[in-house]
Amino acid sequence: MSDLERGITRRPRRETARLLADALTLSGEQRSRFLAAARHASSPFSTRSNSAPPSSTLPHPTTPIFGRDREVVDCLALLRRRDTRLVTLVGPGGVGKTRLAIEVAAKLIDDPAGSVDFVDLSPLDDPDLVVPTLARALGITESPEHPLWESLVSHLAETPQLIVLDTFEHLIAAAGDVADLLSAAADLKLLVTSRVPLRLRAERRFQVPSLPVPGRGGSQDLARFAQFPSVALFLDRAQAVDFDFALDGRNAPDIELICRHLDGLPLAIELAAARVDQSSISEISQQTARGLDRLANGPRDLPPRQQRLEQTIQWGYQHLDADCQSVLRQIATFTSGCSFEAIAATTDADHDPAVLRNTLGRLVACNLVLAETANLSIIYGRLSGAMQSYLYAAVAFFVLGSAIGYRGIRAKLRRSALEKRLKELREKRLKELREKR
């Protein structure tokens, strides 16, 4: 009550509203209407006075978004449901989770609702810093009378609000704090971007797919070909560095190959298109077919981890625990996918099958491994071309016993030779296992 009298807050707490209703001896419909007026004069994404200007700390994108109309509509519908509190945009690095989150949140700024805020978590390396960072982004400070958590909860409880928490995957231990905030602030909604789900009961996962790519020979009809989102993105980014660049019958086949080589991954396509002022389209196509180390020198206003595709993948790989890294490297040696039994046979003989299955589940959840059903069995692998290339370098590090790096591996060991060596190691390992039996 004292906060109301001093103007610190404009809405009473729930318990205060109930006490006032008791003091006024309200009951039935009168009590319900009083409590609604006290606490829910404006509910999430519902009626609000036109005189209240929308509030937002969202970044303003400097480039258009391509191929996300369906995802934007579906995500908006999900967030506007009253029972939705937490939506997590999940997908591999470079798929465009942040860009989609900003696009969705921007659509809600003009909705009759509370504020929309954006918090970048990528610079953090400690899960304990998530709450202080969120509070600072909202302009909330700690005082001797009010601890930071109490002040943050009080702020979030008094105003309907959507907050975008961007890049959460390396801070997953802070998921408990997210759950506590949602429990403490009934009008709070969170839109999170993460390579891995938070695994909270309130969470609704939204898988962000790569952009559609043309099929083989799809470049023959130029008008239809240009409508593919992956192609449209490539053309837009290419024309940003070369104003005269245009789609024609000569470069279309190579653009098709580029988009296919890069699996429709928006960041990879953007980095490839940025090279049209340095290389011919044919050369870029050949470079993307050979590996991801050529996709570098991205825009300076991108985060450092996104200025090279290799860094984007490495950033995610380095945040895995040792078990996940080890199993992921093993899967990379099977270029066409593999069964659970094959993975188990080529890992530590003492590896607990239950632990291995759990590790595989985490890799699938991290969008680093695909799990597909074939002949009633689960086949793991089928990694994207970019991820496969990076993992070959990681595998080579352990096979060859030296840190030769990705570029060095191309000079010192052709992929065919590496595959031969890995095959020999697998056969040797399987032979040892058979002899032990």
Side-chain angles (χ1 to χ4, degrees):
M1 185 67 76
S2 61
D3 286 350
L4 281 170
E5 294 172 345
R6 287 179 293 166
I8 295 177
T9 182
R10 288 174 291 181
R11 289 201 305 174
R13 297 177 183 273
R14 286 180 176 77
E15 187 57 32
T16 302
R18 293 191 189 101
L19 291 173
L20 285 172
D22 292 341
L24 294 171
T25 65
L26 299 178
S27 62
E29 184 180 353
Q30 284 185 324
R31 182 184 180 87
S32 298
R33 292 175 63 184
F34 176 83
L35 293 176
R39 286 294 307 160
H40 297 290
S42 59
S43 60
F45 313 114
S46 60
T47 305
R48 181 182 70 178
S49 170
N50 291 333
S51 62
S55 171
S56 174
T57 57
L58 273 180
H60 297 286
T62 57
T63 58
I65 188 170
F66 293 92
R68 297 304 190 193
D69 292 349
R70 174 68 179 273
E71 286 81 6
V72 169
V73 169
D74 289 347
C75 195
L76 281 173
L78 194 54
L79 280 169
R80 283 172 171 149
R81 288 175 48 173
R82 294 192 63 84
D83 61 342
T84 298
R85 304 293 310 286
L86 166 64
V87 175
T88 304
L89 302 184
V90 181
V95 80
K97 299 181 295 294
T98 298
R99 185 66 180 86
L100 176 59
I102 293 173
E103 190 73 12
V104 169
K107 301 288 185 184
L108 295 172
I109 291 178
D110 295 328
D111 272 25
S115 63
V116 176
D117 290 290
F118 182 93
V119 183
D120 179 13
L121 301 177
S122 62
L124 305 185
D125 56 9
D126 184 352
D128 290 338
L129 296 177
V130 170
V131 169
T133 300
L134 172 58
R136 184 168 61 252
L138 298 177
I140 298 168
T141 57
E142 192 170 16
S143 68
E145 298 82 12
H146 299 286
L148 186 63
W149 176 264
E150 180 182 322
S151 299
L152 176 60
V153 168
S154 177
H155 171 84
L156 294 175
E158 73 174 24
T159 305
Q161 193 158 11
L162 171 70
I163 299 177
V164 179
L165 297 179
D166 186 45
T167 316
F168 201 94
E169 58 267 14
H170 61 301
L171 305 166
I172 207 68
D177 292 332
V178 171
D180 291 341
L181 286 173
L182 291 170
S183 296
D187 290 344
L188 172 65
K189 289 179 181 275
L190 294 176
L191 179 59
V192 177
T193 70
S194 177
R195 299 186 190 187
V196 299
L198 275 60
R199 297 180 63 186
L200 298 176
R201 287 181 297 171
E203 182 179 46
R204 293 184 179 273
R205 302 177 193 176
F206 191 99
Q207 188 74 34
V208 181
S210 295
L211 296 177
V213 299
R216 296 183 184 276
S219 58
Q220 295 179 0
D221 183 344
L222 292 184
R224 185 173 180 274
F225 178 68
Q227 298 303 311
F228 278 93
S230 54
V231 175
L233 172 61
F234 184 91
L235 294 176
D236 179 81
R237 295 294 81 211
Q239 290 165 354
V241 297
D242 182 357
F243 179 78
D244 295 323
F245 184 87
L247 175 67
D248 57 37
R250 293 171 299 174
N251 60 28
D254 283 314
I255 294 175
E256 173 193 320
L257 289 174
I258 291 169
C259 294
R260 288 165 55 82
H261 290 158
L262 300 177
D263 303 302
L265 201 66
L267 176 61
I269 292 172
E270 181 173 353
L271 293 177
R275 302 184 65 83
V276 299
D277 63 336
Q278 307 167 35
S279 306
S280 69
I281 291 297
S282 177
E283 289 172 336
I284 296 173
S285 175
Q286 295 171 21
Q287 292 164 6
T288 56
R290 290 198 298 265
L292 56 86
D293 59 322
R294 305 300 180 91
L295 297 182
N297 301 322
R300 290 191 176 92
D301 54 349
L302 281 176
R305 71 179 189 280
Q306 293 185 341
Q307 293 183 16
R308 294 177 61 97
L309 186 58
E310 183 181 4
Q311 289 176 338
T312 298
I313 297 174
Q314 184 179 27
W315 192 82
Y317 178 80
Q318 289 177 337
H319 282 92
L320 296 174
D321 59 41
D323 283 345
C324 283
Q325 289 183 354
S326 176
V327 173
L328 188 59
R329 290 193 303 269
Q330 193 61 46
I331 293 175
T333 69
F334 296 89
T335 56
S336 299
C338 54
S339 66
F340 173 83
E341 290 74 19
I343 299 172
T346 52
T347 53
D348 189 342
D350 298 326
H351 209 301
D352 185 343
V355 174
L356 180 57
R357 287 191 185 278
N358 181 58
T359 301
L360 286 167
R362 282 185 286 154
L363 289 173
V364 172
C366 290
N367 292 279
L368 293 173
V369 170
L370 298 179
E372 300 176 336
T373 302
N375 298 324
L376 302 180
S377 297
I378 301 297
I379 300 299
Y380 296 94
R382 301 198 187 349
L383 302 170
S384 71
M387 175 59 74
Q388 190 78 50
S389 296
Y390 176 75
L391 291 180
Y392 262 103
V395 170
F397 175 89
F398 287 87
V399 171
L400 302 177
S402 61
I404 59 178
Y406 183 81
R407 294 188 178 188
I409 192 176
R410 297 204 62 81
K412 296 186 178 184
L413 190 62
R414 292 289 182 184
R415 173 168 293 188
S416 59
L418 176 58
E419 288 179 339
K420 180 179 179 181
R421 175 61 176 145
L422 294 174
K423 182 179 179 181
E424 292 172 353
L425 290 176
R426 285 201 301 270
E427 291 176 349
K428 179 181 178 181
R429 180 62 175 156
L430 289 170
K431 181 179 179 181
E432 291 174 351
L433 289 173
R434 285 194 294 268
E435 290 176 349
K436 287 182 179 180
R437 294 172 184 170

